Amino acid sequence: MTSDAARTGDQRPGVDILLRLLDDPDEAVGAQVIRQLADHGPGITGILRGVIDRADDAISRGRATQVIHMHQREALMHLVRSIVHHRTNGTDIDLEEAMVMLDAFGDPGRNTAVIRRQLDGMAVDVHERFITMQPATDLTQLVAINYVLFEERGFTGAEEPYYDPSNSYLSTVMTQRKGIPISLCALMLLLADRSGLDLRPVALPFHFVLYSPVLDLFVDGYHGGNLLDRADCRAIVERNGMAFRDDMLAPVTSIDCVIRMMRNLAF
């Protein structure tokens, strides 16, 4: 088959040879190729996606897919082990760290350092907007986050296909500037954390919002950061055919957020 290593600039020893052997009909050779490609680490994923896109034969595509799935499983197990560790120790997971790990499941070869740099850059924009506003309160800080995300950068709620996996991964949400309620709220939480604003996640049935204890208001990230009161949240729940309970407005943990995102990806 045609080598992809030269096309992608990959210079690691043996990759080019292994790619040429991907379509070998011998199953024992195929198994060795899969193992050795996997040993090159998750950075090989981009090359293998190129193989899947361009290869004419099903054998090459199937083996490339197996290697990618191996790295995806490892990334997922890394996240699961972290969740189990925190639950065992009675602590909460770091939301940003968990979302970066979840991103590695979606694309094991992605440079996750880019995610943090983008978040830092957005936080700087929020700060610059905030210092121009008077008075300096939690409300104006929230308005600054909303302005940067929804006015300046044009983030919006995803529609169809609503459950496209790209709507749940932080890196693609930031690139495509759209997401589902929980991913947009998670992005707001990460910016709020960098800004020192206290926002807390609230997992309504079929929707997700944030709560500001200082303002005693809820924030709907999916609808441009709209501010809601309890009656608004109750209406959201009842529109989705559920009986409202006061405990539905209780903030949840970062672990709860991540598990809900994982369930959305399994939907």
Side-chain angles (χ1 to χ4, degrees):
M1 63 167 292
T2 302
S3 167
D4 288 88
R7 291 194 185 103
T8 57
D10 190 278
Q11 301 298 320
R12 286 169 292 183
V15 171
D16 189 77
I17 295 172
L18 291 170
L19 293 174
R20 292 181 182 279
L21 291 172
L22 264 177
D23 60 355
D24 194 298
D26 189 312
E27 289 298 327
V29 172
Q32 284 294 318
V33 169
I34 289 170
R35 181 183 64 78
Q36 291 184 42
L37 282 172
D39 287 345
H40 278 272
I44 199 76
T45 301
I47 296 172
L48 296 176
R49 293 195 191 280
V51 170
I52 294 168
D53 290 339
R54 290 188 289 268
D56 297 327
D57 62 289
I59 294 176
S60 295
R61 293 195 300 271
R63 288 172 177 167
T65 300
Q66 285 184 60
V67 178
I68 293 173
H69 286 173
M70 289 168 70
H71 288 302
Q72 286 182 311
R73 284 194 295 272
E74 178 56 34
L76 183 61
M77 290 310 300
H78 181 45
L79 176 55
V80 169
R81 286 192 294 268
S82 182
I83 290 172
V84 171
H85 169 78
H86 282 283
R87 279 190 160 174
T88 301
N89 289 279
T91 56
D92 199 9
I93 201 167
D94 180 271
L95 180 62
E96 183 172 329
E97 179 183 346
M99 292 193 70
V100 167
M101 285 191 279
L102 188 61
D103 221 83
F105 166 71
D107 184 356
R110 182 174 286 135
N111 181 1
T112 54
V114 173
I115 299 174
R116 300 185 191 278
R117 288 199 297 269
Q118 289 176 328
L119 287 168
D120 290 342
M122 293 170 70
V124 169
D125 290 346
V126 170
H127 176 70
E128 290 178 347
R129 180 69 182 179
F130 175 59
I131 61 177
T132 67
M133 305 174 70
Q134 295 294 334
T137 64
D138 282 56
L139 179 58
T140 50
Q141 198 164 8
L142 177 57
V143 169
I145 291 174
N146 282 350
Y147 178 83
V148 169
L149 278 182
F150 305 113
E151 299 294 330
E152 188 174 90
R153 301 208 176 202
F155 279 80
T156 186
E159 296 181 356
E160 295 299 332
Y162 184 84
Y163 283 107
D164 186 318
S166 65
N167 296 329
S168 292
Y169 296 125
L170 184 58
S171 60
T172 50
V173 168
M174 289 193 294
T175 299
Q176 298 175 7
R177 303 194 179 190
K178 64 177 182 178
I180 56 177
I182 190 170
S183 59
L184 289 172
C185 282
L187 177 55
M188 291 188 72
L189 280 171
L190 298 182
L191 292 178
D193 184 63
R194 279 167 165 75
S195 304
L197 178 64
D198 184 9
L199 292 179
R200 303 177 188 182
V202 175
L204 296 177
F206 303 105
H207 201 56
F208 204 94
V209 297
L210 302 174
Y211 176 64
S212 167
V214 173
L215 301 174
D216 192 26
L217 288 172
F218 298 85
V219 187
D220 187 350
Y222 186 71
H223 292 104
N226 285 349
L227 301 182
L228 311 172
D229 59 18
R230 283 170 170 75
D232 295 322
C233 293
R234 180 183 188 118
I236 290 171
V237 172
E238 291 176 345
R239 276 200 304 270
N240 284 298
M242 301 284 292
F244 176 79
R245 302 190 315 272
D246 287 337
D247 63 357
M248 291 178 176
L249 299 180
V252 298
T253 66
S254 294
I255 288 178
D256 294 325
C257 295
V258 175
I259 290 175
R260 181 153 167 171
M261 296 183 82
M262 294 166 70
R263 287 174 178 162
N264 286 340
L265 288 168
F267 182 79

